[in-house]
Amino acid sequence: MTSILSLLLLFTVLVLTAVYFIPFLGHRLGRTLGWYIRRRTADRRAHLLTRAASDEEEHAEQLRHPKAVEDEDWETVESYAAGSAKNGGKAEEDWEGIIGFFHPFCNAGGGGERVLWAAIRATQKRWPKALCIVYTGDHDVDKTQILTRVEHRFNIHLHSPRITFLYLSTRHYVLSSTYPHFTLLGQSLGSLVLAWDAFSLLVPDIYIDTMGYAFTIALSKLLYPEVPTGAYVHYPTISTDMLGSLDPKAATENQGLNAGAGVGLRGMAKRQYWHLFARLYSWVGGSADVVMTNSSWTQGHVRALWGPTRTHAGKPYDVEVVFPPVAVEELEAKIPVSPQTESKREQAILYIAQFRPEKNHNLILRAFSQFSASNSAAAKNAKLVLVGSVRNSEDATRVYDLRLLAHELKVKEKVEFVCDASWQEILNWLSRASVGVNGMWNEHFGIGVVEYQAAGLISVVHDSGGPKADIVTKVDGKPTGYLATTADEFAAAFETALTLDQDEKLALRLRAQQSAKRFTDEEFAKRWTVQMERLIDLQKQNGKYTKRR
């Protein structure tokens, strides 16, 4: 009996040690490593701040000689900052810290990158003395090339002296191709390697993940508990919808890349793996201090996954929706919608999306093929235009495969591919096309869909996610577009949209434009600034902010 009690006592001690002592050691080790990295990178920090001050002085000198200034647009930014203070006077300029934006693919040119650059622009306007650091793996381009692409692709002008790029050497650890199996876990653990790489270059005063690598936030909290962390979530790494899609009864060609995969022994193992990963994802994501999502759909999933952890940790702020910025004002100014312009529209169906598997270009090609095969009057002169950026060789291969599919479907001559289009090219197609399409299941938001609306296109989008919940909604009780799920439904919607009479088309386009006004750059900047103010307040409260003298 004594031996049994001794074993129980020993077991209890071991459990208590595992529960309390090991986490204590983990936190102590994390802080020690964080202290060591911060000390080792102190010289680089001082150098970057000194260089930023020097570049600022050089820029100020150029402003005194306007002919020498290449980017006069920043004068507008500076004037905005001067009037954005809460008291109506000059903007609060006393915060001079470093904000680290974790975005390893910052030069990709997609909607996520537009959010990044608009966020930095809003931050620079509100806190012109802050230094914005972007952790990127785009070694093939320098600062000038990146900012030039930002201007050409998004028409966003940034203040160059106050932005710096730190190049990561371990980006391959987050590529899906690196992990043929257990991809979700592999990429997430790989992001830890990438984040370690980032912190080894520089420890920021505020850390913000803008690409969805939630595990990096947990690492930041482990190493630097005093550093406020923010997350802008475009799409949860895993969601209840993804878990549900494994059910074979719910499987269709449009419900994600793993639809119906929960069958058999392997399917059961995948289901268990995803559920375990969801628990881990909930834990790491819940450590973020400020969480923003790009849509109410994403907000719902993030609240469900991260909410319990955030509540337990006593996080003071709720998960907030900050709709992505879309060039609504510019589109409305450059692409008027009127009876006169209606006659200039072509029978073109436009799809603006990166050439990634989840964008489901295959579905749209098959739907367009069915529509063309109907030989209706609307289909006779119709064409499909696929516009998107090509990030790497995998994307290039995907475009090649799509061209082959168009050939097999006998619509090759009616499908046009526009890769890596400039903003001017996109504007051109938005002014010419009549219909805008999006085929992704559970698209997190859909910046391209808002661009369709702002340009007056009739939207035909997947009946799920952000486009359904937030964008293609009714105005005054009337539709602003059409929802579809299958190839048959998309084909029918193309037919409906292109056969409306002129008055109906014009009324629908105007309602769509009205709907798009909710997603302007200005609205994004306002909401983003509120969240940044929270992060800066937390940073000051933590006592780690020291004003640079």
Side-chain angles (χ1 to χ4, degrees), residues 107 137-142 145 167 171:
N107 202 44
D138 294 304
H139 285 266
D140 56 332
V141 286
D142 60 20
Q145 291 172 310
Y167 292 88
R171 192 173 71 176

Side-chain angles (χ1 to χ4, degrees), residues 39-286:
R39 182 180 178 185
R40 195 181 67 180
T41 59
D43 289 342
R44 178 178 285 113
R45 176 188 177 94
H47 170 72
L48 290 176
L49 290 172
T50 300
R51 189 176 68 183
S54 176
D55 291 346
E56 191 73 71
E57 291 176 4
E58 182 179 343
H59 180 76
E61 180 64 26
Q62 289 179 336
L63 288 179
R64 287 191 285 270
H65 301 83
K67 292 183 179 180
V69 180
E70 294 181 1
D71 181 14
E72 296 181 357
D73 180 77
W74 184 251
E75 294 181 22
T76 304
V77 174
E78 290 178 331
S79 65
Y80 176 94
S84 61
K86 295 178 182 178
N87 61 5
K90 194 173 184 180
E92 179 185 302
E93 297 181 358
D94 64 333
W95 199 80
E96 304 175 20
I98 296 177
I99 305 170
F101 292 86
F102 190 77
H103 207 105
F105 297 88
C106 75
N107 202 44
E113 287 66 57
R114 183 181 182 88
V115 169
L116 169 68
W117 305 124
I120 292 177
R121 178 176 60 182
T123 302
Q124 289 185 326
K125 287 179 178 180
R126 183 66 177 83
W127 295 277
K129 292 184 180 180
L131 178 61
C132 296
I133 299 291
V134 179
Y135 299 107
T136 181
D138 294 304
H139 285 266
D140 56 332
V141 286
D142 60 20
K143 176 178 176 176
T144 301
Q145 291 172 310
I146 292 175
L147 296 184
T148 298
R149 177 174 168 82
V150 171
E151 292 179 13
H152 290 170
R153 175 68 179 86
F154 302 115
N155 195 30
I156 292 177
H157 299 266
L158 300 172
H159 188 41
S160 178
R162 288 290 170 178
I163 183 170
T164 297
F165 296 89
L166 294 180
Y167 292 88
L168 309 173
S169 60
T170 54
R171 192 173 71 176
H172 59 282
Y173 282 105
V174 296
L175 296 177
S176 59
S177 58
T178 305
Y179 309 98
H181 307 288
F182 300 101
T183 307
L184 289 178
L185 182 61
Q187 287 182 291
S188 297
L189 295 179
S191 72
L192 294 176
V193 178
L194 201 56
W196 180 271
D197 189 2
F199 295 139
S200 296
L201 293 173
L202 182 74
V203 180
D205 297 313
I206 294 173
Y207 175 77
I208 304 176
D209 165 46
T210 51
M211 272 204 77
Y213 294 112
F215 280 63
T216 69
I217 297 173
L219 179 63
S220 177
K221 280 298 179 187
L222 177 65
L223 299 176
Y224 316 105
E226 75 283 356
V227 173
T229 54
Y232 189 96
V233 184
H234 297 275
Y235 196 91
T237 304
I238 195 165
S239 67
T240 53
D241 283 354
M242 286 177 62
L243 296 172
S245 73
L246 295 176
D247 186 350
K249 295 180 180 179
T252 73
E253 61 177 312
N254 310 308
Q255 290 187 315
L257 302 177
N258 292 278
V263 180
L265 184 61
R266 185 173 180 178
M268 290 177 61
K270 189 178 187 72
R271 191 188 299 272
Q272 291 301 314
Y273 158 55
W274 274 20
H275 277 280
L276 289 172
F277 180 82
R279 293 179 64 182
L280 186 59
Y281 179 67
S282 300
W283 177 69
V284 297

